[in-house]
Amino acid sequence: SNADQRDSNGDGYGSICDPDLDDNLVVQAADLAIFKPLFFTTDPDANFDGIGTVNAADLAILKKMFFQPPGPSCVAP
């Protein structure tokens, strides 16, 4: 666990480990569809790396986890 990890949507998974934007426990095309209009915004749920802007680095995180569940938790209990 990591006490400094953000959990922007409060689901128990740290944002850098959680590109599952529709919270159905698998990263897939629906999450990409939610992500696309948020590109270049400051949306905290799509800003997986926490640098302040949704960008290509966040897309890379989403792509790396495609067809996988979010996690590990990364959030301090």
Side-chain angles (χ1 to χ4, degrees):
S1 65
N2 180 349
D4 296 326
Q5 179 64 253
R6 297 176 317 111
D7 179 10
S8 62
N9 64 353
D11 66 356
Y13 295 105
S15 296
I16 202 153
C17 306
D18 187 16
D20 178 25
L21 295 172
D22 65 0
D23 291 324
N24 72 343
L25 299 179
V26 65
V27 180
Q28 58 190 347
D31 301 299
L32 180 58
I34 294 167
F35 179 86
K36 286 170 62 174
L38 300 174
F39 214 76
F40 297 124
T41 71
T42 59
D43 185 275
D45 293 341
N47 179 24
F48 309 127
D49 63 7
I51 66 162
T53 302
V54 179
N55 59 27
D58 301 299
L59 178 59
I61 292 168
L62 189 146
K63 287 173 57 177
K64 181 179 177 182
M65 294 192 66
F66 224 70
F67 300 120
Q68 296 181 52
S73 172
C74 303
V75 179

